Amino acid sequence: MTAEAGLSVEVHVAPMRPFVSAEPPTPGVESMWSPMSSTLIAGERDAVLVDTLITFDQVDALADWVESRGKRVTAILITHGHSDHWIGLARLLERFPDARGLATGEVLEHARFEATDQGTQRYWRSIFPGEIPDVPVLPGLLKEDELELDGHELRIIDIGQGDTEHSSIVYVPSIGAVAAGDVVYNQVHMMTAYTDAVSREAWLASLDAVEALNPTTVVSGHKRVGAPDIPDTIEQSRQYLRDFTRIVEEQETAEEIFAAMLKLHGDRDNPWVLWFGARKAVAKRG
């Protein structure tokens, strides 16, 4: 937790959990969903939550945790359009009726696609059967690039590429804090499956932009339970991406990519994400 200048930042993390995967298994790698965070930025009376978690039990535990802080939630900001970061919005708005779900225009466009595309909806319902809403609730459009919280500025920055394009971050200048969504990862394998060498270069540029804010607190959307929210995670994420791109160029098979990356980054949570990324990288070669 960071507390200074009248604002505090606290982080709730849902641990890794199994999910139903259609991907071919690899020995010793269980299909797991990575640990996920939601960030509560609070003033004396009001608070803003960043990202929502996924399943009913995760969202209920998050809501209980937020309620225990005794703040009025006025907004729930969504960092990017992947459904695991916003699909809990319906349930959270029931618990916090004063709140508005909000996202930048490009993030909202991506979320709307995931909410309306039948194939994408089937995917999410298949991996979390009976655990997510049948009818998703989308965030509203954030018309400005900042919010005011108890007299303090929160900047919502369209940072560009993270593990998906059109990602945003929330920057709190008064306390030097960034809720980085899936731009920065913290001791968890990075989701490279939806990137290629070019978009990973753009992702590196996004990490440079986060670093340029000179934050003292950096909260990753996917972080190990108990991991400190420190700016070192920016360079650690950069190194992971550089290594992945190099190894994809050097190795022929998904198994070889997987093994080479584990030698360098085997201490990260959830190797299933690495296996998935390695398979997609080989498939992209056509």
Side-chain angles (χ1 to χ4, degrees):
M1 182 177 74
T2 296
E4 191 177 345
L7 293 183
S8 66
V9 172
E10 291 186 89
V11 184
H12 175 89
V13 182
M16 279 194 299
R17 53 149 292 168
F19 73 100
V20 180
S21 173
E23 287 295 310
T26 190
V29 178
E30 185 178 0
S31 300
M32 300 289 286
W33 203 262
S34 293
M36 294 187 61
S37 76
S38 290
T39 302
L40 188 71
I41 306 166
E44 183 176 350
R45 177 174 177 267
D46 294 338
V48 168
L49 188 65
V50 182
D51 289 339
T52 74
L53 306 183
I54 319 171
T55 60
F56 294 141
D57 60 336
Q58 288 178 339
V59 176
D60 289 344
L62 171 62
D64 291 343
W65 175 80
V66 171
E67 282 185 346
S68 74
R69 271 51 189 172
K71 307 294 183 179
R72 183 177 75 104
V73 180
T74 59
I76 302 170
L77 297 173
I78 306 303
T79 58
H80 62 287
H82 282 159
S83 293
D84 55 335
H85 288 258
W86 63 264
I87 206 164
L89 190 58
R91 208 164 179 93
L92 285 175
L93 292 175
E94 292 175 359
R95 294 284 294 270
F96 304 107
D98 292 336
R100 299 172 296 155
L102 294 170
T104 66
E106 291 178 325
V107 171
L108 177 56
E109 182 178 352
H110 185 174
R112 183 177 288 113
F113 169 80
E114 296 216 355
T116 56
D117 179 73
Q118 292 186 358
T120 305
Q121 280 295 294
R122 280 195 300 270
Y123 165 76
W124 286 105
R125 286 196 289 266
S126 71
I127 65 174
F128 296 113
E131 296 189 273
I132 62 174
D134 290 329
V135 180
V137 171
L138 287 166
L141 175 63
L142 181 68
K143 297 180 180 179
E144 306 292 337
D145 61 2
E146 61 183 53
L147 290 178
E148 185 270 335
L149 177 62
D150 284 0
H152 297 271
E153 177 191 25
L154 275 58
R155 297 182 193 168
I156 298 84
I157 300 172
D158 275 318
I159 203 78
Q161 181 74 46
D163 68 6
T164 186
E165 61 180 351
H166 307 316
S167 297
S168 66
I169 64 171
V170 181
Y171 173 46
V172 191
S174 63
I175 55 175
V178 171
D182 289 359
V183 176
V184 183
Y185 277 63
N186 189 346
Q187 299 183 40
V188 177
H189 283 287
M190 299 178 73
M191 179 57 80
T192 59
Y194 307 111
T195 67
D196 57 17
V198 173
S199 54
R200 285 192 293 275
E201 284 298 317
W203 194 346
L204 289 169
S206 298
L207 288 163
D208 292 344
V210 175
E211 186 176 61
L213 297 171
N214 196 29
T216 55
T217 299
V218 178
V219 182
S220 298
H222 294 286
K223 57 166 287 186
R224 176 179 292 161
V225 175
D229 301 304
I230 55 177
D232 293 3
T233 53
I234 301 171
E235 175 54 29
Q236 292 164 8
S237 296
R238 275 195 297 240
Q239 190 60 52
Y240 188 100
L241 293 175
R242 293 189 194 107
D243 288 338
F244 186 82
T245 294
R246 175 179 56 80
I247 286 170
V248 167
E249 292 174 351
E250 294 173 349
Q251 305 297 330
E252 290 295 323
T253 68
E255 289 80 5
E256 289 169 339
I257 295 168
F258 182 74
M261 282 294 291
L262 282 183
K263 287 181 181 179
L264 298 176
H265 300 281
D267 58 342
R268 287 180 177 248
D269 283 353
N270 200 8
W272 180 89
V273 168
L274 173 58
W275 171 240
F276 183 50
R279 289 191 69 251
K280 291 296 186 182
V282 171
K284 287 183 177 75
R285 293 171 180 165

